[in-house]
Amino acid sequence: AERRYADLTLLVRPDFRHTVLQNFLFEFKYLKLSHVNLSGEKLKQLSLAELEALKPVKEKLAESKKQLLDYRTDLELKYDNVFKLQLISVVAVGFDRLLWKKI
């Protein structure tokens, strides 16, 4: 069987599942500045919508979303769907910008 892991998983202990605490799966992706053909300064000037519209960023978000949905399915099957999971995709572009989306 293939073993895969989300980049960060936060699961509430069984004795705290009655609280408002939530379970999270995070998937992190990184793009070099050269992949978006922009300098760090130009990148900082983009709005979030412009950043998200960049083709390499869209591709990383889509890749992350697919992985998160797969991880969620695996966890639900393994643990009989006891977790209500919040899925978060995070894309870093260089060390200059960070974009995150709730799936």
Side-chain angles (χ1 to χ4, degrees):
E2 182 182 340
R3 293 187 71 111
R4 300 175 353 156
Y5 301 95
D7 290 327
L8 180 62
T9 305
L10 301 168
L11 300 176
V12 177
R13 293 184 348 207
D15 54 325
F16 279 89
R17 289 196 185 128
H18 66 282
T19 68
V20 295
L21 297 173
Q22 296 184 355
N23 301 295
F24 289 92
L25 286 179
F26 289 87
E27 183 63 28
F28 297 97
K29 299 295 179 193
Y30 177 79
L31 285 166
K32 294 179 182 178
L33 290 177
S34 61
H35 290 150
V36 293
N37 296 319
L38 293 170
S39 69
E41 259 327 292
K42 293 279 187 196
L43 196 63
K44 289 176 187 174
Q45 295 172 9
L46 297 180
S47 69
L48 282 176
E50 291 169 324
L51 179 64
E52 189 177 343
L54 295 173
K55 185 179 180 196
V57 173
K58 280 201 261 191
E59 289 170 350
K60 287 294 181 186
L61 282 170
E63 182 183 326
S64 175
K65 179 179 179 177
K66 182 186 180 322
Q67 285 180 271
L68 285 166
L69 293 172
D70 287 348
Y71 297 144
R72 180 179 66 189
T73 299
D74 291 347
L75 281 170
E76 287 174 345
L77 288 172
K78 184 175 182 176
Y79 295 103
D80 200 25
N81 202 19
V82 297
F83 301 116
K84 182 178 181 206
L85 294 166
Q86 296 295 314
L87 308 178
I88 310 289
S89 292
V90 181
V91 176
V93 185
F95 295 108
D96 303 281
R97 291 298 297 269
L98 191 69
L99 175 72
W100 65 274
K101 290 196 74 73
K102 206 172 178 183
I103 304 299

